[in-house]
Amino acid sequence: MIDRRSFLGGGAAAASLATFSPFLPAWARSGSRGLGPSIPTLWGPDITLTIENNPFTVGGRTGEAITINGTLPAPLLRMREGDRVHLAVTNKLEEDTSIHWHGFLIPFDMDGVPGLSFPGIRPGQTFHYEFTLRQSGTFWYHSHSGLQEQAGHYGPVIIDPATPDPVHYDREHVLVLSDWAFMSPERIFTQLKQEGGHFNRNNLTLFGLFNRRHNPAQDMSLEERVMWKKMTMDPTDISDVTGAIYTYLINGHGPQENWTGLFVPGERVRLRFINASAMTVFNVRIPGLPMTVVNADGENVRPVTVGEFQVSVAETYDVIVQPTHANAYTVVAEAVDRSGMGRATLAPRLGMAAAVPPLRPRPLLTMADMGMGGMGSMGGMDHGSMGGMDHGSMGSMGSMGRMNRRTMRNPENAPPDVKVGVGVDMIAPMPKDRTGEPGLGLKNVGHRVLTYRDLVSLKPNKDQRRPSRYMEIHLTGNMERFMWSFDGQKFSSGVEPFRFALDERVRVTLVNDTMMQHPIHLHGHFMELVNGHPGHYPLKHTLNVLPGSKLSFNLTADNPGDWAFHCHLLYHMHAGMFNVVTVRPLTRRRRG
C-alpha cells in the first residue's frame, strides 16, 4: 500500500519523489500497488495546492509544464461525501489561473470559471475554495483559464460515499488519460486557425488509391473521392490535433514508459478512467480481460460487461476487472483517429509486460457523420473495422452527389434560431439519434462495445416530472476556418445566455450540425441522458454528441447561478463554442 505520510508530505515529499520518478505523484508512479478501498480520505477536508511551472519529461524530451504541487498529473484528491472541504490554491505562475471542480454540485461562486463565477487567481495570490460535498464518485479538476489545461493543469478526484459503496472491489487504480504536446498551446491554436487540418497527416492520397492493401483506410473508390472533393469535405478529418504532435499519456507516462498497476490474481480491481485530455477521444480496451462498467461521470450505473468503450474528453468511467491468472495485461487507450495510443500494464509484479496490439486501421467519416443518417451510410460499412466499403451498395452516393456546400449552408434550411454566416459551413440535413452506436470505427471490432444506450442509472431518477418546456441547441462550426459556436454564434459576439427558472424541468435537444464529435459539459448540474430508460436515465455532466447526430437530455435547473456550458474540446471552447446557463432567481439558501 501507499505510505500515507509520503502521499501527504507536501513540498518536501514532492522533492524526494522527484528523485524516484520526476514530477509524478505516488499514485501515478509505475508499479503503484493501487489504493485499497478501505483507505481513509488521503487528504482530508483541508487541502493546500500550489500552481507553478516545472519541467516535464516524456519520451526522452523535456518541456515546460504547469504543475500542481510539483506533479503532472496533479495530486489525487481523496475526500468524503458530506464533508465540508477547504482548498487553499496559490498561484505561482506569471499569469492568472483557476481551478474548476469538474462535475461538482457546488455554489456557482466556487465553480472556478474566471469572469463568470469569480475573478480568477492573480499571480502571487491564494484563493480559498470552500464547499460541502454533495456527491461521491470519480471526478477531476483542471484550469479554466486560457489554454492551461493543455499544459498539464489537471488532476483526479475520488469522493468516497458516505454510505456503503454498492460496487464491491478489492483494489483500485486511477488511470488519467491525457495528451501532451511540446508545442505551446497558443501555437497549436494559431496553426488550427490558419489551417483547420494542419495536424492531419493521414489524408487520402493518390498512392493509396492504387495500393489499398498497404493501408485499408485508403480503400475508397475514385468516385467516392470525387464526391467528397465536390463537397469540399475531408473524410479523414476526425481529430483536430493528432499523434503528429501529441504523446498520449496514462498517469503522466508515455507509451514506452509503460505505467504498471499491480494486482493479485482473483481480485476484483476497480479501474477509474478519467479522460483529462485537451482534444483526444480515446477507445479503451484491455485485450484478454473483459471490463464491467459500473460508474459513468461519477454516478453508479447498472453493471454492463464490454470489451471496449469510448471515453470522450472530460468523461469518466469506472470498470471492474477480475484477472484470474498471473498474467500481464495491456491497457490500450487508442486515439479515435488511430494516430497513436496511450499504453499501460496491469500485472501481478513489476517487470512483466503483455503484447501491445498495433494501431488499427484509421476509420473514415460516412454520410451519417454528415447528418444524412436517414439516407444510410456510404455503403453501410465502417472503415475503421472492415477496412473498406461495400461497393456493391452505392445507392446513397447519388444522394451525396446531389448535395453541395451551398445547399448545406442555405439559411432557408436552418432553424430560425441558427444564424448561418461564415462561421457555419453546414446544417445537418437529417440528424438522427445515434446513442445506440459505439462510436466511429467500432461497429465491427469483434467484441461488445459500450454505447450510451447501455447506461442505466442504478438508482431511480429523483425528478420524475415531465418536462414543462422543450428547447433545441445546435452545435455549429466551420471546420476549414476553425470556427465553433452554438446556434451559429460564438460566445465573444455577445450572445444571450440560455435562461432557466429555478427548479424548472426542461427537455434539451443537442443537434450536431458538424462532422466532428463534441463533448458538451454543463457546470453545476447533471443531465439526464434520454436513452430509452425512463425513470433510470443515466446522469452525466458531459455528453458526447456524435457527428451529424442529435441527443436529448432532461435538466432540472436546481442549482441557482450562472454556469458555463461548453464543448470540452479545449480549442473548440476557446474558439467560441461556449455560453452561459443562467438559473434564476438566486433566492434559495445556498447549500455550499
Side-chain angles (χ1 to χ4, degrees):
M1 290 296 179
I2 297 174
D3 184 302
R4 188 170 185 268
R5 178 174 297 177
S6 67
F7 187 86
L8 296 173
S16 65
L17 288 177
T19 63
F20 177 80
S21 184
F23 309 111
L24 288 169
W27 61 269
R29 285 188 240 159
S30 185
S32 162
R33 294 186 178 274
L35 306 169
S38 63
I39 291 179
T41 301
L42 292 177
W43 284 73
D46 294 300
I47 298 168
T48 299
L49 301 173
T50 300
I51 304 170
E52 59 189 338
N53 290 118
N54 269 307
F56 174 70
T57 300
V58 65
R61 295 180 61 190
T62 300
E64 185 175 86
I66 296 177
T67 65
I68 299 180
N69 290 16
T71 72
L72 189 165
L76 168 66
L77 309 183
R78 190 149 200 164
M79 301 174 279
R80 184 169 295 278
E81 181 183 14
D83 283 356
R84 187 167 184 82
V85 297
H86 168 243
L87 304 107
V89 181
T90 299
N91 180 13
K92 289 190 176 181
L93 302 175
E94 295 181 354
E95 58 183 319
D96 290 4
T97 191
S98 58
I99 289 182
H100 163 58
W101 309 100
H102 188 103
F104 283 37
L105 302 175
I106 54 180
F108 80 95
D109 56 354
M110 292 287 109
D111 190 49
V113 180
L116 183 60
S117 57
F118 85 134
I121 309 173
R122 312 295 185 203
Q125 291 187 350
T126 298
F127 184 83
H128 297 270
Y129 292 91
E130 191 169 357
F131 46 80
T132 299
L133 297 170
R134 298 167 46 201
Q135 64 210 99
S136 62
T138 303
F139 299 95
W140 64 299
Y141 61 107
H142 60 84
S143 174
H144 228 288
S145 299
L147 301 172
Q148 293 175 0
E149 193 179 338
Q150 174 75 90
H153 189 326
Y154 51 82
V157 177
I158 297 175
I159 304 176
D160 290 310
T163 57
D165 196 327
V167 180
H168 301 290
Y169 56 99
D170 304 301
R171 184 190 299 261
E172 64 184 341
H173 291 291
V174 179
L175 291 96
V176 178
L177 314 179
S178 59
D179 43 28
W180 170 263
F182 288 97
M183 183 182 294
S184 74
E186 292 75 19
R187 184 180 170 194
I188 292 173
F189 185 71
T190 298
Q191 297 281 23
L192 290 170
K193 289 295 291 183
Q194 292 174 345
E195 181 187 2
H198 178 82
F199 298 107
N200 183 4
R201 302 291 190 266
N202 291 299
N203 301 90
L204 294 174
T205 64
L206 182 62
F207 174 76
L209 180 63
F210 298 103
N211 191 23
R212 298 175 193 169
R213 291 184 180 179
H214 176 70
N215 183 357
Q218 295 281 350
D219 194 16
M220 180 179 286
S221 71
L222 179 61
E223 179 187 10
E224 293 167 295
R225 293 170 187 241
V226 170
M227 289 294 183
W228 281 99
K229 185 67 175 178
K230 286 182 178 179
M231 293 290 297
T232 63
M233 293 180 175
D234 183 358
T236 71
D237 194 0
I238 296 167
S239 299
D240 291 310
V241 191
T242 71
I245 64 165
Y246 273 157
T247 299
Y248 299 112
L249 307 179
I250 297 182
N251 291 347
H253 289 72
Q256 302 306 316
E257 295 161 353
N258 190 25
W259 180 90
T260 301
L262 303 182
F263 67 84
V264 173
E267 285 184 326
R268 287 172 55 87
V269 182
R270 184 173 189 160
L271 305 177
R272 299 177 183 261
F273 287 94
I274 301 169
N275 188 348
S277 66
M279 293 292 288
T280 305
V281 178
F282 289 103
N283 296 326
V284 176
R285 68 191 194 275
I286 308 175
L289 197 59
M291 300 178 290
T292 300
V293 178
V294 295
N295 190 286
D297 284 3
E299 292 288 320
N300 291 323
V301 296
R302 293 178 186 172
V304 55
T305 300
V306 298
E308 187 166 3
F309 63 87
Q310 184 171 99
V311 55
S312 193
V313 176
E315 290 185 308
T316 73
Y317 284 104
D318 291 14
V319 306
I320 299 293
V321 297
Q322 191 168 15
T324 57
H325 301 289
N327 299 330
Y329 298 88
T330 297
V331 180
V332 177
E334 187 177 52
V336 66
D337 69 331
R338 315 268 168 84
S339 63
M341 71 168 65
R343 170 250 184 154
T345 295
L346 297 178
R349 63 181 183 275
L350 282 175
M352 296 182 68
V356 179
L359 291 169
R360 294 174 292 190
R362 184 202 56 221
L364 296 175
L365 298 172
T366 70
M367 288 188 73
D369 301 305
M370 295 171 63
M372 293 189 244
M375 302 177 188
S377 64
M378 293 170 55
M381 299 300 287
D382 183 333
H383 289 260
S385 323
M386 303 297 291
M389 282 189 179
D390 177 1
H391 298 283
S393 176
M394 298 297 295
S396 60
M397 292 305 297
S399 300
M400 185 176 177
R402 289 191 294 272
M403 300 295 294
N404 58 57
R405 182 61 60 87
R406 181 176 298 177
T407 58
M408 296 185 77
R409 291 190 68 249
N410 188 342
E412 296 180 0
N413 297 331
D417 292 337
V418 177
K419 296 186 181 300
V420 180
V422 68
V424 177
D425 66 356
M426 65 176 286
I427 298 293
M430 298 182 67
K432 70 171 185 177
D433 184 333
R434 301 179 67 184
T435 54
E437 298 183 19
L440 187 64
L442 296 177
K443 286 183 180 178
N444 299 285
V445 291
H447 50 247
R448 183 177 182 180
V449 181
L450 185 75
T451 75
Y452 269 178
R453 295 217 187 135
D454 293 324
L455 300 177
V456 184
S457 174
L458 194 62
K459 298 185 299 184
N461 299 137
K462 291 181 180 179
D463 192 346
Q464 299 282 345
R465 293 178 298 163
R466 299 174 68 89
S468 61
R469 182 161 63 100
Y470 295 80
M471 65 184 298
E472 188 172 276
I473 299 172
H474 284 249
L475 318 182
T476 48
N478 184 319
M479 297 171 73
E480 292 183 4
R481 300 194 181 197
F482 205 75
M483 301 172 71
W484 304 101
S485 57
F486 290 124
D487 292 332
Q489 300 181 83
K490 61 181 183 178
F491 182 65
S492 61
S493 64
V495 296
E496 277 291 306
F498 299 120
R499 302 182 186 277
F500 297 86
L502 184 61
D503 288 324
E504 184 181 15
R505 181 81 166 160
V506 183
R507 170 72 58 85
V508 180
T509 297
L510 302 175
V511 180
N512 188 351
D513 286 318
T514 80
M515 292 176 63
M516 303 204 86
Q517 50 193 324
H518 298 285
I520 302 301
H521 173 45
L522 173 60
H523 291 214
H525 296 79
F526 277 94
M527 301 171 279
E528 295 176 10
L529 173 62
V530 177
N531 67 343
H533 303 289
H536 285 268
Y537 291 135
L539 304 182
K540 296 190 93 278
H541 52 59
T542 307
L543 289 170
N544 191 49
V545 190
L546 293 178
S549 76
K550 61 182 179 181
L551 61 74
S552 297
F553 65 88
N554 291 334
L555 174 67
T556 298
D558 58 358
N559 202 353
D562 295 325
W563 302 98
F565 178 74
H566 60 90
C567 178
H568 221 287
L569 297 178
L570 180 62
Y571 299 108
H572 287 198
M573 179 183 71
H574 198 66
M577 192 175 278
F578 182 101
N579 205 340
V580 176
V581 164
T582 294
V583 180
R584 292 290 188 274
L586 299 177
T587 54
R588 172 178 293 175
R589 182 180 178 183
R590 287 168 55 183
R591 291 166 291 184

